[in-house]
Amino acid sequence: MTRRTLIAGNWKMNGLADGLGFFAEIAPAVAKADADVLVCPPATLLRDAARLAAPHGVRVGGQDCHAATSGAHTGDISAAMLRDAGASHVIVGHSERRADHGESDGDVLAKAEAALAAGVTPIICVGETREEREAGQAAAVVARQLAGSLPVVSPGMELVIAYEPVWAIGTGLTASVEDVAAMHDAIRDQLPEPLTTCILYGGSVKPDNAAELLALADVDGALVGGASLNPLDFMAIIKAVSRKSEPLR
Ligand code: 13P
């Protein structure tokens, strides 16, 4: 049994309807990819993106969801709504949500549970700040975030973890392969379903560094921000997936 590599794009607050030709553009790389490909556009584009992505075997996901199924939460979107619009996945606990909206590990847990209940796979993001890494706290911070935000998973439920060091997001800096390998290994040890749970790396993944990151045994894919906005860059990252059929441990 192997974990299938997942290359996920997070468009963040970028993209208008006239950019949805993206899916046809990346189709040649997706067709040859030894990976699943997911794009998380802004919610306004989700339904159209799902329709245009599906013929090319690309799935779409949300960037956040509310913990409740419905109700008086102006401006929020539930996991069931995302699923209704065609999402298979939803990112929860992205560091930008944690920082901009004060989301705690408990909030992230509630969102992940809501996603699972709605039949949407949560991509739970964790990662330390620069100050935390410099203070030697990276492993402890990520372990604490995981402990606080990992839902109990029933058989058949899938979740994905994304390790995104905050200082590497949008900065052009990436963690060293040694640091990524060590962190992914530590994360895997903490997972209830270590053999089957994908752990993605995110933080300035680009065409020129994707291959070495994706080659690491415990890196099961990438969560790509800026480079997922450019079809050529995103295709290059998809093509960088080596045929990974890592033995499970
Ligand atoms: P960048 O790839 O732009 O650094 O963003 C990473 C990220 O935050 C993906 O969720």
Side-chain angles (χ1 to χ4, degrees), residues 8-10 12 91 94-96 125 162 164 168-173 202-206 223-228:
N10 174 10
K12 308 190 180 184
I91 298 167
H94 192 282
S95 63
E96 289 150 15
C125 300
E164 299 205 305
I169 294 176
T171 58
L173 303 171
S204 297
V205 176
K206 306 288 179 198
L223 183 54
V224 185
S228 75

Side-chain angles (χ1 to χ4, degrees), residues 181-194:
M183 189 65 86
H184 280 232
D185 181 61
I187 291 171
R188 193 165 313 281
D189 283 345
Q190 210 179 327
L191 294 176
E193 300 284 351

Side-chain angles (χ1 to χ4, degrees), residues 197-208:
T197 304
C198 276
I199 309 174
L200 312 182
Y201 172 78
S204 297
V205 176
K206 306 288 179 198
D208 61 358

Side-chain angles (χ1 to χ4, degrees), residues 18-38:
D18 65 4
L20 290 177
F22 181 91
F23 295 102
E25 288 185 60
I26 66 167
V30 176
K32 293 196 203 116
D34 190 23
D36 290 331
V37 179
L38 172 79

Side-chain angles (χ1 to χ4, degrees), residues 12 19 33 43 45 47 52 57 65 82-83 90 95 103 118 126 139 198 208 228-229 232 235 240 248:
K12 308 190 180 184
L45 297 182
R47 187 178 294 277
L52 294 167
C65 67
L82 294 174
R83 186 181 157 105
V90 60
S95 63
E103 291 185 6
V126 294
C198 276
D208 61 358
S228 75
L229 297 172
L232 293 178
M235 280 201 287
L248 299 181

